[in-house]
Amino acid sequence: MGRTWADSETFAYRFEFVPNTPRARFWVAGNCDERGTEEYNLALGQRRANADRDYLASRGIDPRRIQTISYGKTRPIDPSSTQDAWARNRNAITSVR
């Protein structure tokens, strides 16, 4: 499995402003590849989003500031049906609002 930004050294840099911006909210969207049923992928996407939420919370972000959603397989980054595309589409995307 590939590394994500949350695993990298840039995490601290990307979120160094968080303690000084208590009104910032986080939105974590879990995504899947095209394989599997809609029900399965929605549950899997939610587990991905929850894992990122838990990671952010472990780094000191109040979990009440983090919302999660699963898009399952409805928002692919790469619409191709290849191993590489499937790998890119299995993700959780975090945005600050």
Side-chain angles (χ1 to χ4, degrees), residues 7-35:
D7 298 324
S8 72
E9 297 153 1
T10 60
F11 178 85
Y13 171 75
R14 290 182 185 210
F15 288 96
E16 67 184 12
F17 71 93
V18 171
N20 298 321
T21 53
R23 292 178 15 174
R25 300 289 182 254
F26 299 85
W27 183 263
V28 183
N31 300 287
C32 300
D33 62 39
E34 65 187 24
R35 300 170 297 167

Side-chain angles (χ1 to χ4, degrees), residues 27-33 41-52 67-76 89-94:
W27 183 263
V28 183
N31 300 287
C32 300
D33 62 39
N41 282 326
L42 284 171
L44 180 57
Q46 190 62 52
R47 286 194 303 272
R48 285 193 174 112
N50 291 346
D52 273 24
Q67 291 183 323
T68 61
I69 190 166
S70 173
Y71 291 119
K73 58 185 174 181
T74 63
R75 296 189 177 190
N89 292 331
R90 294 187 299 263
N91 62 65
I93 298 172
T94 303

Side-chain angles (χ1 to χ4, degrees), residues 49-64:
N50 291 346
D52 273 24
R53 177 202 59 212
D54 295 346
Y55 181 81
L56 292 169
S58 77
R59 302 295 296 206
I61 298 172
D62 184 343
R64 293 174 296 187

